[in-house]
Amino acid sequence: MLNKFKKIDYTIVFILLLLMGISIAVLYSATSNTQYHGYHLRMAMYYAIGFVVFFALSLVDFRLLVKYGLYIYLLGVGLLIVVMFIGNTYYNATGWMTLPGGLSFQPAEFFKLLLVVFLAHVLYRKRKTQLAFWRDVIPICLLTFVPFMIVMAQNDLGNALSYLVILTGMLWIGGMKYSHALIALAIFAGSVIGGISAYKIYYDEVHKFFADIGREHWIERIDPWLVPDKATEKAIYHTRNAKLAIASGGMTGEGYMQGATVQSERVPLTYSDSIFVVIAEEFGFLGSSVLLLLYFVLIHRLILISLECKDRSGPLIIVGIVALFLYQIFENIGMFIGLMPLTGITLPFISYGGTSLVINMASIGVAMSIRIHGHEVEEEQQTTSAATRKPAVKSQ
């Protein structure tokens, strides 16, 4: 046990502690004069739980998770189905379960890590350098689209898209042929360009279609991104004020708890989805850059763990986790500077949210387990080889 603790990457632990300090401090600033005051204390409690989960999973051999990946997948899909019938609805999305003590649990967040483990299980069992399109890629995609469609039915676009990002990253490292990857990239690029063009050309028809299927709020998220001149005041209110707050931060920011836009509550959800706006306004470009640097170092350390792992399933899991973090960081920040549409995606380790934080900490815990146990495969192989090697017989 003590030997395992010695193998933990304490640089990552230090980064997590820094992110915890940033999160609690910024949450206090964002909620001090609002009805959400006290969320920074709850976040400290969530971090305490998260560190327990992190160290616990670090000591568990990650290969056990990969071995039972199918059961983990079925458990996750079952939770996604159950929450559709008994879940609570927040911000137009039905996906929260109430736990004892008044805490909320979001299975769609939980499923991200389960999907990473499951895809690692499937790809590891195939043991192929290249995946066949019809026999391998298509079935894996279909298995991912099942939870994707369930979460889309819950009206949670942000988490649903994260499943596709995880799928893409893990198929790439799992042995997808370059030709298949190029075809998929071409189809994706064509779909995005065609979809944006169609949205602008057939705006009224698209607006009516979304209204007919009960997704009017999608219009409010897409319009400020693609056609701001047609967006309603309600639709553009969030992103416009967020951009003004970020711009007013300048190079060094307006000072801790001195952000005029944030402190006047003109930016919604500053404790969760919009927390980057608080950092940008109060600490400026320099403060935002420090946060991005911490993310960079964290992801760099995770990649180093994957390169050192001797078991093929380890790098698969790491790539899935890295793809997930990169998507969340890019989407969360990008939607406030006009690069991405507005979605309900939290900023990893910073935004308020118990499920999101604990799952992110669990993901780092699984990565740390790969660092601790990833070399045992090589050691076992060397031991087995030494035991089966016969001593040479000298000739008489």
Side-chain angles (χ1 to χ4, degrees), residues 111-394:
F111 191 79
K112 294 175 183 177
L113 180 57
L114 303 190
L115 180 63
V116 170
V117 173
F118 170 67
L119 292 180
H121 163 82
V122 174
L123 293 169
Y124 178 72
R125 284 175 61 88
K126 291 186 176 299
R127 297 179 180 274
K128 294 180 178 180
T129 55
Q130 286 192 329
L131 299 175
F133 184 75
W134 293 107
R135 191 170 62 251
D136 300 323
V137 176
I138 293 300
I140 293 173
C141 290
L142 291 176
L143 288 169
T144 304
F145 283 140
V146 170
F148 171 81
M149 294 306 298
I150 295 174
V151 175
M152 283 291 289
Q154 297 173 6
N155 212 8
D156 189 351
L157 177 62
N159 280 321
L161 290 176
S162 68
Y163 301 162
L164 301 185
V165 173
I166 292 170
L167 171 68
T168 302
M170 296 188 69
L171 279 179
W172 175 259
I173 193 176
M176 191 175 185
K177 294 181 180 179
Y178 291 143
S179 58
H180 296 160
L182 289 174
I183 292 173
L185 180 61
I187 293 174
F188 173 76
S191 300
V192 171
I193 295 172
I196 291 175
S197 300
Y199 187 90
K200 293 180 178 180
I201 296 172
Y202 302 102
Y203 177 79
D204 293 333
E205 290 82 353
V206 172
H207 194 288
K208 183 178 182 302
F209 171 76
F210 282 142
D212 291 341
I213 64 174
R215 297 293 187 268
E216 297 95 332
H217 63 282
W218 285 9
I219 295 291
E220 295 180 356
R221 295 183 177 186
I222 298 175
D223 278 1
W225 178 48
L226 294 182
V227 284
D229 55 313
K230 295 183 179 180
T232 64
E233 180 63 24
K234 177 184 176 183
I236 208 170
Y237 177 84
H238 192 165
T239 53
R240 180 187 61 194
N241 287 344
K243 290 178 182 178
L244 288 173
I246 293 172
S248 65
M251 182 62 68
T252 59
E254 297 184 358
Y256 183 57
M257 300 187 69
Q258 300 299 315
T261 307
V262 170
Q263 296 300 325
S264 61
E265 299 185 58
R266 282 179 284 172
V267 179
L269 301 173
T270 51
Y271 62 92
S272 59
D273 298 354
S274 307
I275 199 165
F276 176 77
V277 179
V278 184
I279 296 173
E281 184 176 36
E282 297 188 353
F283 300 98
F285 176 79
L286 293 179
S288 303
S289 298
V290 169
L291 177 62
L292 292 177
L293 179 62
L294 290 177
Y295 282 136
F296 173 81
V297 175
L298 176 63
I299 291 172
H300 177 254
R301 300 299 296 185
L302 292 176
I303 293 173
L304 290 180
I305 292 174
S306 72
L307 295 176
E308 296 170 356
C309 181
K310 304 301 180 183
D311 188 295
R312 184 170 176 266
S313 62
L316 289 169
I317 293 175
I318 294 291
V319 167
I321 293 172
V322 168
L324 173 60
F325 286 161
L326 287 176
Y327 163 72
Q328 290 181 272
I329 295 167
F330 181 77
E331 170 61 31
N332 182 274
I333 297 176
M335 65 188 182
F336 294 120
I337 58 177
L339 294 179
M340 299 294 288
L342 191 65
T343 59
I345 287 292
T346 56
L347 190 61
F349 304 102
I350 304 297
S351 295
Y352 174 81
T355 306
S356 175
L357 175 65
V358 172
I359 293 304
N360 288 336
M361 294 292 284
S363 300
I364 301 296
V366 174
M368 199 60 64
S369 174
I370 295 171
R371 173 182 169 87
I372 293 172
H373 303 96
H375 296 284
E376 295 179 6
V377 175
E378 183 181 36
E379 294 169 1
E380 290 170 2
Q381 291 175 348
Q382 291 176 349
T383 303
T384 303
S385 300
T388 57
R389 190 184 300 120
K390 296 181 180 180
V393 179
K394 294 182 179 180

Side-chain angles (χ1 to χ4, degrees), residues 3-66:
N3 188 45
K4 289 184 177 181
F5 275 108
K6 291 180 179 179
K7 293 181 179 180
I8 289 178
D9 187 339
Y10 285 99
T11 299
I12 289 181
V13 175
F14 180 65
I15 292 172
L16 293 177
L17 289 172
L18 289 177
L19 292 173
M20 177 182 70
I22 293 172
S23 176
I24 294 173
V26 175
L27 279 173
Y28 179 78
S29 174
T31 63
S32 59
N33 297 313
T34 71
Q35 59 180 319
Y36 306 107
H37 180 65
Y39 272 22
H40 63 291
L41 298 177
R42 289 192 185 184
M43 195 64 173
M45 179 187 68
Y46 293 146
Y47 254 108
I49 297 172
F51 271 108
V52 171
V53 173
F54 163 75
F55 284 110
L57 285 176
S58 297
L59 302 179
V60 175
D61 194 330
F62 71 96
R63 288 169 293 184
L64 288 175
L65 299 176
V66 175

